[in-house]
Amino acid sequence: MNLAHTRYVLAGFFVFLLAACGGGGGGGGATAVSVDKASVAVSASVVDATVGTPTVTLTISNATGGSYYVSGATSHNGVATLSPGIFSATSAVVQIHLKTPYTLAPATYTDSVQLAVCTDQACTQQISGSPVTVKVSYTVNPAPAGAQPAMTVSTNALSLQALPGGAAPPAGFSVAIANAPSFALTAKVTQTSNAVVSATIDPPTPIWNTPPQGGFGVDITLKSPSQLPAGVYKDQVTVVLCLDPACVNPLAGSPQTITIAYVIGNSVPGAYTVSQVAVEAVDLVADGTRGLLYAAVPASAAAHPSSIAVIDPVNAVITSYVAMGFDPGKLALSADGGYLYVGEHNGPRIARLVLPGMTLDATITLANDAHGQVTWPIDIKVQPGSPKTIAVARDFKNDTQAQGDGVVIYDDTVPRAQIAGLDAQGNANQAIGWLSWGSSAATLYGSGFGEIATLAVSASGAQVSASATPGNVGRIQYIGGVIYADSGALLDPTTLMASAVLPAPSYPAIAVTADGSIKRVYKITTTGGVGTYLNQYDADTLALQGHALILGVYNQYLVESDFMRWGSNGLAFLATSQQAAINAPNDQIVLISGPFVVQ
């Protein structure tokens, strides 16, 4: 007998053809069918990706020549489909395919499978013993104790704020998955849309609603403040996480709803106000005598190039621009408020302006170095008590590494003979790019390229008296017996090594300043993409006194600029609005003021 089978699937039935040829069967009795089992029992866990496929075998006795058809029908509580297995001359194996365990809720599902053997395709002529019935019991068990998949979220509430007309802040949260199964889960994210544009899974996946198994982020895009009037906007983002696409089996903890409060405004009541002044600038100084700020606007600026911008920080406005006639770089202000020094970027000049009129008083021209190279001022600091004496950290023109080319002391326009940081041949042997006067006019500190040095200043000039390598500390400021570094390190003026580091929260410091009169230290830090924060510390104990998000400053970086106090309760720094753009030009002054600064 040769075997052939054809499958038809219609309304839950399948039909197989057993084709017999030759002299037929033997035995002389009636052709009949029997089944090897009357019932099947299977179990699986709801976190199993697959389940076994039970089979039953039909046996035909006393088969005669001709064809036999096998048809089947089933209920579909736990059974998905039926299909043929191995057929022989006298038997047929039928496979019972069960539904995937994680698509069913934990329970026992019973089905009845009916199988018929007929001599005609329409199955109106059944052989003896047909039809046969097989009872199927399919138990889906809950996840084993301690292995139940569960979800949690990093927060159930987000409070966000943006400046009117500014940029929308980045927002989002993370979803953690415990006891993730081996198969893909299904996540669905929905949101209201008062101020939320979208909420999407991050990282994206080939199928948007299939998250990575260990967890994922949800990125929230908010409407631009320019689209919304000032006020408070509330939304909800809901995350549903399930074992199956139909969400018959949600994970423990699902769904999770995150409430969002989005404020358009520049003030945090009772704490601080943030303002931004749009100006391209490369340096900034505060004039405590007049309550003003001065910003150096480079030659590359689109508006008012090669000028000094005069800023009223209280009202956050530029009151005037003063043309310089060259590309301005570093700025320095005498302690008595009488002079503003303006260094030329990549050029040898330093202009001394008389305040408040901003009139030119003197021009200092830096000498070429020992090798005949043009030098330019990469930092300028006015000597305490001597408004016409300055220390200048030089570099040679077009040096792309800003490695330093000595420190020169100038009285009016006349340099002192001794230059610190050079060897006998005039080569730089100490990298100095930033300066800060110490406790007296006889002590100067310089830092750069992982090095820091003490410079002894005398009538002859300056010379390095001590040095150390505490690592890349960046800009430095000597305030109240401590050298504060932009890296967040506090350096001992005697050993030049770190005596402490400003503690968490948030990422490492990108700018630091201090106010000795109220014993407060300030650190600007970024979380690497979510926002920029201001931390305030007690100068004696370094205990954290305050931690706040700086409104409107998102993933923006300080670029070669100072961070300073102004007024009774203000702070100022330069930043770039070009998100995620390291070393992009500064195009705004960020002003922070309020009780938070001096609390």
Side-chain angles (χ1 to χ4, degrees), residues 339-560:
Y339 298 105
L340 175 67
Y341 290 85
V342 182
E344 182 179 10
H345 175 74
N346 211 29
R349 288 176 287 181
I350 299 175
R352 187 171 71 202
L353 306 181
V354 178
L355 298 174
M358 302 284 283
T359 56
L360 181 64
D361 173 62
T363 298
I364 301 166
T365 301
L366 304 189
N368 293 353
D369 66 11
H371 305 288
Q373 299 178 103
V374 173
T375 63
W376 62 287
I378 57 176
D379 201 8
I380 306 169
K381 290 294 184 290
V382 183
Q383 188 179 54
S386 301
K388 292 187 177 183
T389 298
I390 60 173
V392 179
R394 307 182 311 178
D395 196 10
F396 57 86
K397 189 174 182 179
N398 298 322
D399 179 16
T400 58
Q401 296 183 337
Q403 62 188 10
D405 198 4
V407 176
V408 185
I409 307 298
Y410 281 87
D411 299 301
D412 279 321
T413 61
V414 180
R416 297 182 190 178
Q418 191 170 43
I419 301 175
L422 301 180
D423 62 18
Q425 289 72 44
N427 299 310
N429 59 10
Q430 186 80 42
I432 298 176
W434 294 285
L435 298 172
S436 180
W437 286 98
S439 58
S440 72
T443 304
L444 187 66
Y445 298 100
S447 66
F449 279 89
E451 301 176 330
I452 186 167
T454 302
L455 282 63
V457 179
S458 67
S460 300
Q463 63 177 339
V464 174
S465 60
S467 64
T469 54
N472 189 13
V473 297
R475 288 178 291 271
I476 55 172
Q477 299 174 75
Y478 176 92
I479 300 173
V482 177
I483 301 173
Y484 294 95
D486 271 358
S487 66
L490 278 61
L491 305 175
D492 185 302
T494 301
T495 66
L496 303 180
M497 297 301 291
S499 58
V501 176
L502 294 176
S506 298
Y507 281 54
I510 53 177
V512 170
T513 194
D515 187 338
S517 66
I518 59 173
K519 292 187 176 297
R520 286 293 181 266
V521 182
Y522 306 93
K523 177 178 82 170
I524 295 176
T525 182
T526 179
T527 58
V530 176
T532 303
Y533 289 85
L534 173 64
N535 296 343
Q536 183 202 118
Y537 303 89
D538 182 281
D540 292 330
T541 66
L542 300 187
L544 184 69
Q545 300 298 303
H547 172 70
L549 177 70
I550 304 175
L551 303 178
V553 182
Y554 314 115
N555 202 24
Q556 295 161 321
Y557 298 85
L558 304 183
V559 183
E560 297 296 326

Side-chain angles (χ1 to χ4, degrees), residues 191-474:
Q191 80 280 335
T192 58
S193 299
N194 296 313
V196 172
V197 176
S198 64
T200 56
I201 290 174
D202 178 32
T205 55
I207 302 175
W208 76 270
N209 65 343
T210 303
Q213 295 301 83
F216 54 94
V218 176
D219 288 340
I220 299 171
T221 301
L222 298 169
K223 292 180 181 178
S224 168
S226 62
Q227 299 176 274
L228 301 168
V232 180
Y233 300 86
K234 294 186 177 180
D235 280 292
Q236 289 186 334
V237 174
T238 300
V239 180
V240 178
L241 194 55
C242 305
L243 298 178
D244 60 295
C247 212
V248 173
N249 290 303
L251 270 65
S254 177
Q256 291 280 347
T257 297
I258 292 81
T259 59
I260 299 173
Y262 182 29
V263 178
I264 307 297
N266 70 338
S267 295
V268 176
Y272 64 98
T273 296
V274 175
S275 301
Q276 294 174 333
V277 178
V279 59
E280 291 184 55
V282 294
D283 202 19
L284 183 71
V285 293
D287 182 348
T289 302
R290 299 169 185 84
L292 298 173
L293 300 175
Y294 305 111
V297 182
S300 59
H304 304 282
S306 299
S307 67
I308 301 300
V310 182
I311 299 105
D312 170 5
V314 174
N315 296 300
V317 295
I318 297 173
T319 60
S320 63
Y321 290 91
V322 178
M324 290 305 303
F326 60 77
D327 187 6
K330 295 301 295 184
L331 302 178
L333 190 71
S334 61
D336 65 357
Y339 298 105
L340 175 67
Y341 290 85
V342 182
E344 182 179 10
H345 175 74
N346 211 29
R349 288 176 287 181
I350 299 175
R352 187 171 71 202
L353 306 181
V354 178
L355 298 174
M358 302 284 283
T359 56
L360 181 64
D361 173 62
T363 298
I364 301 166
T365 301
L366 304 189
N368 293 353
D369 66 11
H371 305 288
Q373 299 178 103
V374 173
T375 63
W376 62 287
I378 57 176
D379 201 8
I380 306 169
K381 290 294 184 290
V382 183
Q383 188 179 54
S386 301
K388 292 187 177 183
T389 298
I390 60 173
V392 179
R394 307 182 311 178
D395 196 10
F396 57 86
K397 189 174 182 179
N398 298 322
D399 179 16
T400 58
Q401 296 183 337
Q403 62 188 10
D405 198 4
V407 176
V408 185
I409 307 298
Y410 281 87
D411 299 301
D412 279 321
T413 61
V414 180
R416 297 182 190 178
Q418 191 170 43
I419 301 175
L422 301 180
D423 62 18
Q425 289 72 44
N427 299 310
N429 59 10
Q430 186 80 42
I432 298 176
W434 294 285
L435 298 172
S436 180
W437 286 98
S439 58
S440 72
T443 304
L444 187 66
Y445 298 100
S447 66
F449 279 89
E451 301 176 330
I452 186 167
T454 302
L455 282 63
V457 179
S458 67
S460 300
Q463 63 177 339
V464 174
S465 60
S467 64
T469 54
N472 189 13
V473 297

Side-chain angles (χ1 to χ4, degrees), residues 574-589:
L574 296 178
T576 173
S577 62
Q578 298 181 37
Q579 295 190 18
I582 299 176
N583 291 328
N586 292 311
D587 57 12
Q588 60 184 354
I589 299 171

